[in-house]
Amino acid sequence: MTRLRRKALVALFLFTLFIFGTMMGLRTLKPSDGFSDLAPGMDFIGERSERRRLDVKDVVVSPGQFHMSSSDTKVVFTRSDREYSIFYDVHIFYYLWYGSPSVDNKYIHWDHVLVPHWDPKIAASHAQGKHTPPDDIASSFYPELGPYSSRDPKVLESHMAQIEAAAAGVLVLSWYPPGVGDDHGEPTEDLVPTVMDAAHRHSIKVTGETTGMFSPF
């Protein structure tokens, strides 16, 4: 019994020593030694402000121009007042199916039907019907621009500016085939060229997804 207890204490000591050594080793690592490149834009603010030299993959171009090889994912753009980066391995999904009375004469998708609970017993006691904009909308978060219309040029320009400020380089446009819309929306294929033009003004690339597939434009 004493021998077994002694072995357990030795094993516990060795395990503690291993954990201590691992922690000390991790403390010696610098951010550049880890996986920070896998999360672009998530580096420390202090390091970002001090980082003046471009990385090997960085390419300095003027806005609206893309001079980079197929392996490059980051481009640094220069303007008269600032220098900013865009990461083309960061994608943002974007939907065109929203409408408002000021532009579309009615709310579209903001007044989506209330999604029932998956448990029929609980669903029976839940509210039914549709959302009632502008106060009650079919969204988990209330948009800063309010229940907007996707056809509003000012809204589209604001969205592209926000995406550019977030350093995301690719817009994943959710779309339906021509003349087709979902059960609660309307066809939006006529908006695709407008979105592509707005994205281009902010150096953003556009791709599309439908039925789970990606389609480059």
Side-chain angles (χ1 to χ4, degrees):
M1 186 68 181
T2 303
R3 183 177 301 177
L4 182 62
R5 184 179 302 174
R6 184 180 303 171
K7 289 183 178 180
L9 290 175
V10 171
L12 180 60
F13 172 77
L14 292 176
F15 178 74
T16 304
L17 187 62
F18 170 75
I19 295 297
F20 178 77
T22 301
M23 295 299 294
M24 293 301 295
L26 291 175
R27 287 174 60 89
T28 62
L29 293 177
K30 297 179 295 183
S32 59
D33 297 329
F35 301 97
S36 59
D37 290 341
L38 297 181
M42 298 301 292
D43 48 344
F44 296 107
I45 296 176
E47 293 177 355
R48 186 183 303 177
S49 61
E50 295 175 359
R51 191 176 299 169
R52 297 300 182 185
R53 295 185 179 180
L54 301 178
D55 297 335
V56 176
K57 290 185 178 181
D58 295 347
V59 183
V60 181
V61 296
S62 59
Q65 294 180 334
F66 302 96
H67 301 292
M68 58 190 216
S69 65
S70 59
S71 62
D72 292 321
T73 59
K74 176 183 176 182
V75 173
V76 178
F77 293 90
T78 57
R79 288 182 176 174
S80 57
D81 58 338
R82 65 188 176 98
E83 181 179 283
Y84 64 100
S85 302
I86 288 184
F87 296 87
Y88 289 104
D89 53 356
V90 178
H91 297 58
I92 287 184
F93 283 83
Y94 192 74
Y95 301 90
L96 291 176
W97 53 37
Y98 296 104
S100 65
S102 61
V103 178
D104 309 277
N105 297 318
K106 60 180 177 179
Y107 285 110
I108 303 176
H109 252 285
W110 297 116
D111 59 347
H112 195 285
V113 296
L114 296 172
V115 179
H117 196 278
W118 57 85
D119 188 338
K121 296 180 180 179
I122 300 178
S125 60
H126 275 211
Q128 299 180 1
K130 301 176 66 176
H131 290 275
T132 55
D135 297 325
D136 174 30
I137 62 174
S139 174
S140 299
F141 303 95
Y142 202 88
E144 182 179 356
L145 301 177
Y148 57 82
S149 170
S150 298
R151 296 182 179 275
D152 189 335
K154 294 181 179 179
V155 168
L156 184 58
E157 189 66 22
S158 176
H159 285 170
M160 296 303 114
Q162 293 179 50
I163 294 171
E164 177 189 334
V170 179
L171 190 74
V172 182
L173 193 62
S174 183
W175 65 291
Y176 285 85
V180 179
D182 63 81
D183 295 337
H184 308 285
E186 297 180 356
T188 58
E189 72 274 3
D190 60 313
L191 273 176
V192 174
T194 304
V195 174
M196 295 181 68
D197 290 340
H200 180 71
R201 288 194 295 271
H202 292 270
S203 307
I204 299 171
K205 295 185 177 182
V206 180
T207 186
E209 66 91 17
T210 180
T211 62
M213 301 296 291
F214 287 93
S215 306
F217 290 122

